[in-house]
Amino acid sequence: MDILKRLECTPLRFLVLIFLTLLFRDTEMLSQTMNKVLSEKSSFEVIDQNGMKGYKSVEYTYKVYGNTVGDKWVDYLAKYKTTTIKDLSYEGQNRTIEVAICRLDRMDSIIYYIKQDCDQLDLSRDNYKTIKYGCCADLTKVALYDYNNRVIISGSEKIYEGFIPNNKIRFYFSYQSHPDTLTLGQINYSYNASDQYHVVLKSKRSTTRSAVENCPMLYPEIDLSFSGAGRFDKDEEACPFWSLEKIKTINEINFILKLKFDCDSTIRPITIPIINGKPFGKDIETQIYNIEYD
């Protein structure tokens, strides 16, 4: 009797509302689980406060790509969350990109998570690349990471990949600008996140913009010299080394990396030989190269 009295005091509409809410919530959750539906809400906010006039946007996008695991082909889903804050009074923007990666047939289990402050993030089979566009006469910053979020190599404008046809060995090289005003830049050469080399190009004169008016953006012409078939195209980011097709180890890699600053004829051409897979054939991780001038 007490239970009946309490039920009589409870508004019927309220009970029905609770029932329908639970029913539709569970139905939606079941439907999304069965049909593997993902749905996130993007947003856009105008900002006009504390002297800033601009906006903040949050966008969700999805990409599907395939990869081989052993001898099996696997499809993956990458869910991107891109957060952009833009002050309309200035060039550039602040952008953070987050990527959650899962197998397409196991969408409830994230296997990789990436979060980087960059303008663009591109996924590939063994690594991913971030790009931060240059503004105000600064060079674009590029970096390559493995899926443990460790830096393989970074650089300015481009990262070049030396690939060997029919061979698993890969290596990367780049030119990177430097904040030190007595350093022209540095050459980065890398195989992976734990096997990297750097050649710092030291200058005897200031490299500030006011000191090099003819070269406001000090970036060299890059060329390669190597034996065998193939040629280096500076407009392409991948260079085939056919003559190295049969090598077994990185110690068999030999070629010459050449840099020339055409906008400043007083800087003599720079030659960095890769001998037995290392700059100048040395095991030293960071070396100093003193720039010569005419």
Side-chain angles (χ1 to χ4, degrees):
M1 293 296 296
D2 291 338
I3 294 176
L4 291 176
K5 288 181 180 180
R6 286 198 295 271
L7 287 174
E8 289 175 357
C9 297
T10 303
L12 182 59
R13 290 183 179 178
F14 182 68
L15 290 175
V16 172
L17 180 61
I18 293 176
F19 173 76
L20 291 176
T21 300
L22 293 174
L23 175 63
F24 281 109
R25 187 197 65 180
D26 292 340
T27 302
E28 181 182 1
M29 291 175 62
L30 179 61
S31 174
Q32 290 194 7
T33 301
M34 292 177 62
N35 297 310
K36 298 181 179 179
V37 175
L38 292 178
S39 178
E40 278 82 17
K41 186 177 181 182
S42 298
S43 64
F44 185 89
E45 174 188 358
V46 175
I47 301 175
D48 187 0
Q49 58 184 7
N50 300 324
M52 175 184 171
K53 293 183 181 294
Y55 62 84
K56 175 182 178 180
S57 67
V58 179
E59 302 172 89
Y60 290 91
T61 55
Y62 306 89
K63 295 181 181 179
V64 175
Y65 67 100
N67 202 350
T68 53
V69 179
D71 58 354
K72 184 180 179 182
W73 182 263
V74 178
D75 291 310
Y76 293 92
L77 171 68
K79 182 179 75 174
Y80 280 71
K81 177 185 178 183
T82 303
T83 303
T84 304
I85 300 176
K86 170 67 176 177
D87 188 333
L88 296 175
S89 303
Y90 301 95
E91 292 185 46
Q93 60 193 5
N94 293 320
R95 171 171 288 172
T96 299
I97 300 178
E98 300 174 67
V99 186
I101 301 173
C102 61
R103 288 180 51 143
L104 198 58
D105 57 351
R106 300 176 186 173
M107 291 171 53
D108 57 340
S109 179
I110 296 174
I111 57 176
Y112 297 115
Y113 175 73
I114 300 167
K115 184 177 181 180
Q116 297 287 353
D117 294 328
C118 59
D119 293 308
Q120 182 177 328
L121 194 153
D122 300 322
L123 303 174
S124 61
R125 174 176 176 173
D126 299 315
N127 48 59
Y128 67 90
K129 180 171 67 174
T130 63
I131 302 173
K132 180 69 175 178
Y133 299 123
C135 72
C136 314
D138 288 334
L139 296 170
T140 292
K141 298 177 181 178
V142 188
L144 202 65
Y145 294 81
D146 63 22
Y147 281 105
N148 291 316
N149 296 313
R150 300 180 302 173
V151 178
I152 297 172
I153 190 171
S154 58
S156 299
E157 298 297 316
K158 284 186 178 181
I159 290 174
Y160 294 97
E161 175 188 359
F163 72 91
I164 305 170
N166 305 311
N167 195 305
K168 294 183 179 180
I169 295 177
R170 296 286 187 274
F171 54 92
Y172 309 89
F173 54 93
S174 70
Y175 173 83
Q176 186 169 11
S177 61
H178 204 283
D180 180 359
T181 59
L182 290 178
T183 300
L184 194 62
Q186 70 181 40
I187 302 299
N188 298 320
Y189 182 85
S190 174
Y191 294 99
N192 50 56
S194 57
D195 194 357
Q196 304 179 12
Y197 302 90
H198 312 282
V199 180
V200 180
L201 308 176
K202 281 294 183 182
S203 174
K204 63 183 180 182
R205 69 187 191 194
S206 176
T207 59
T208 59
R209 290 197 184 95
S210 60
V212 287
E213 293 181 359
N214 293 329
C215 292
M217 298 175 67
L218 281 170
Y219 191 83
E221 288 291 321
I222 298 175
D223 197 5
L224 295 183
S225 175
F226 54 92
S227 61
R231 66 183 183 85
F232 175 69
D233 186 344
K234 61 182 176 59
D235 294 323
E236 298 291 333
E237 296 187 6
C239 176
F241 283 70
W242 286 95
S243 61
L244 300 177
E245 185 177 2
K246 303 298 183 181
I247 70 170
K248 302 297 183 182
T249 69
I250 62 176
N251 295 329
E252 300 173 74
I253 296 176
N254 295 279
F255 66 96
I256 297 175
L257 183 60
K258 301 177 180 179
L259 292 85
K260 185 179 179 182
F261 292 86
D262 288 337
C263 64
D264 188 344
S265 60
T266 66
I267 302 176
R268 293 183 182 177
I270 299 168
T271 300
I272 310 292
I274 305 300
I275 303 172
N276 300 329
K278 306 175 183 66
F280 300 100
K282 298 179 180 180
D283 290 325
I284 304 172
E285 182 176 327
T286 301
Q287 302 180 53
I288 301 298
Y289 182 105
N290 291 310
I291 300 297
E292 295 182 355
Y293 295 88
D294 288 330

